[in-house]
């Protein structure tokens, strides 16, 4: 009997994963909170290896995305930077020291890579030319309905289904909400989720008009159906799995979602085990 691809992948002990990126080939990339290393795993076999050494302790790799040119865009967390990595060579191409308090997540749009800062009411825009090559970084202040909490506020980021705006998790505002942000002005407006709250909202994944919101501490994925402009959403379902151990974000391949278990409920050690869980899409 032919076996399918594994539904659970092991990561190196002590790796401390947070972000995941999957491109046009069946490989997943994970960033380490411990030292910024990048690990690549085959989704066909589950086997993997570290392909890029990070900058070291204090310079984690948090959110990450990969483009069609094989370039990873990495949020540097408390290191206050953005980085790009060539996955073919593992080389860190460039580091942008933006002075951020905690650069958390990233999404790619046709003209830019956008990064959230969890401790400041601002986004970072890394310009991309028509060949996807990075240029200059600008800071876009958040306004409108945006509410900055006393500490952690912004988390995951996505695009609206029609591509006209950005979607950003705000874990502080109204007990956990989703904000639609105008990329030209930074003006934010709360998305109407029909009364639903996302207090532990972390990574976002948009597939068509279906938005997956990873609720890390709840060990769940809340699923919403958005309108095209991303101004309204209807709760569809909640995905849970007994293998979840505080997942942080998700990426898709085929009909599956892959989520790294960050295990934020335990003190990390060099021997702490980490893994990745695959579940079916809605």
């Amino acid at each position: 009997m032919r076996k399918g691809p594994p539904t659970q992948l092991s990561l190196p002990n002590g790796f401390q994963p947070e972000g995941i990126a999957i491109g046009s080939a069946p490989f997943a990339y994970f960033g380490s909170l411990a030292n910024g290393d990048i690990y690549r795993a085959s989704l066909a076999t589950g086997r993997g290896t570290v392909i890029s050494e990070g900058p070291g302790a204090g310079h984690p790799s948090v959110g990450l995305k990969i483009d069609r040119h094989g370039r990873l865009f990495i949020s540097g967390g408390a290191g206050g930077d953005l980085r790009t990595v060539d996955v073919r060579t593992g080389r860190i191409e460039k580091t942008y020291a933006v002075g951020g308090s905690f650069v958390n997540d990233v999404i790619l749009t046709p003209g830019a890579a956008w990064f959230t800062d969890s401790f400041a009411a601002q986004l970072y825009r890394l310009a991309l030319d028509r060949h996807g090559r990075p240029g200059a970084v600008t800071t876009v202040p958040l306004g409108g309905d945006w509410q900055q909490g006393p500490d952690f506020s912004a988390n995951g980021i996505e695009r609206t289904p029609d591509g006209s705006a950005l979607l950003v998790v705000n874990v502080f505002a109204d007990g956990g909400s989703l904000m639609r942000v105008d990329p030209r002005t930074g003006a934010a407006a709360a998305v109407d989720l029909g009364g639903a709250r996302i207090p532990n909202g972390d990574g976002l994944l948009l597939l068509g008009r279906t938005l997956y919101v990873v609720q890390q501490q709840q060990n769940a994925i809340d699923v919403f159906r958005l309108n095209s402009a991303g101004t309204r959403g209807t709760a569809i379902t909640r995905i849970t799995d007994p293998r979840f151990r505080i997942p942080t974000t998700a990426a898709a391949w085929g009909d599956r979602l892959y989520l790294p278990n960050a295990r934020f409920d335990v003190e990390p050690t060099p021997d702490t085990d980490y893994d990745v869980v695959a579940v079916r899409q809605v």
Side-chain angles (χ1 to χ4, degrees), residues 199-217:
N200 301 123
D202 198 333
L204 300 177
L205 176 64
L206 183 71
L207 300 177
R209 286 171 52 189
T210 301
L211 181 70
Y212 296 88
V213 182
V214 182
Q215 294 251 57
Q216 46 160 280
Q217 298 289 338

Side-chain angles (χ1 to χ4, degrees), residues 141-147 166 168 170 178-183 185-191:
L142 292 168
D145 292 341
W146 187 266
Q147 297 177 38
L166 304 169
V168 180
N170 187 316
L178 185 66
M179 296 285 180
R180 183 183 186 276
V181 177
D182 185 329
T185 65
V191 177

Side-chain angles (χ1 to χ4, degrees), residues 96-122:
Y96 300 81
V98 296
S101 303
F102 193 91
V103 186
N104 192 321
D105 203 4
V106 56
I107 189 65
L108 301 179
T109 67
W114 291 86
F115 299 79
T116 59
D117 190 322
S118 294
F119 293 96
Q122 59 195 27

Side-chain angles (χ1 to χ4, degrees), residues 5-9 219-221 239-247 256-263 273-280:
T7 60
Q8 196 159 356
L9 313 177
N219 286 315
I221 310 168
I239 301 171
T240 60
D241 192 289
R243 299 170 299 166
F244 285 169
R245 297 188 292 175
I246 309 190
R256 291 178 174 174
L257 305 176
Y258 290 83
L259 300 94
N261 279 319
R263 305 198 65 191
D273 67 290
Y274 294 97
D275 61 2
V276 182
V277 173
V279 297
R280 296 286 182 183

Side-chain angles (χ1 to χ4, degrees), residues 7-28:
T7 60
Q8 196 159 356
L9 313 177
S10 295
L11 297 175
N13 283 1
F15 187 78
Q16 297 182 44
E18 211 279 357
I20 178 175
I22 300 175
S24 58
F27 294 94

Side-chain angles (χ1 to χ4, degrees), residues 24-237:
S24 58
F27 294 94
Y29 298 84
F30 304 91
S32 171
L33 296 179
N35 56 16
D37 283 357
I38 301 297
Y39 182 88
R40 179 174 62 199
S42 166
L43 299 179
T45 67
R47 293 190 293 269
T49 187
V50 172
I51 63 155
S52 177
E53 291 188 4
H59 295 276
S61 292
V62 191
L64 59 158
K65 291 293 184 293
I66 187 168
D67 69 8
R68 60 188 179 88
H69 305 288
R71 178 180 291 113
L72 276 175
F73 295 79
I74 301 170
S75 306
D81 60 25
L82 332 170
R83 298 191 299 276
T84 59
V85 168
D86 184 338
V87 299
R88 293 160 293 192
T89 65
R91 182 176 64 89
I92 297 176
E93 294 180 325
K94 190 166 184 179
T95 298
Y96 300 81
V98 296
S101 303
F102 193 91
V103 186
N104 192 321
D105 203 4
V106 56
I107 189 65
L108 301 179
T109 67
W114 291 86
F115 299 79
T116 59
D117 190 322
S118 294
F119 293 96
Q122 59 195 27
L123 302 177
Y124 304 106
R125 181 186 186 275
L126 174 59
L128 305 176
D129 69 15
R130 61 190 183 92
H131 300 291
R133 292 181 296 234
V137 177
T138 54
T139 299
V140 179
L142 292 168
D145 292 341
W146 187 266
Q147 297 177 38
Q148 185 65 30
D151 44 45
F152 199 97
S153 295
N155 205 324
I157 186 170
E158 252 290 0
R159 299 175 69 195
T160 58
D162 65 6
S164 64
L166 304 169
L167 297 171
V168 180
V169 173
N170 187 316
V171 299
F172 171 76
D174 201 20
S177 59
L178 185 66
M179 296 285 180
R180 183 183 186 276
V181 177
D182 185 329
R184 298 165 300 175
T185 65
V191 177
D192 180 2
L193 296 180
R197 298 290 180 266
I198 47 174
N200 301 123
D202 198 333
L204 300 177
L205 176 64
L206 183 71
L207 300 177
R209 286 171 52 189
T210 301
L211 181 70
Y212 296 88
V213 182
V214 182
Q215 294 251 57
Q216 46 160 280
Q217 298 289 338
Q218 297 179 9
N219 286 315
I221 310 168
D222 286 339
V223 188
F224 298 89
R225 178 74 169 175
L226 300 181
N227 64 351
S228 181
T231 58
R232 297 189 309 277
T234 302
I236 299 174
T237 189

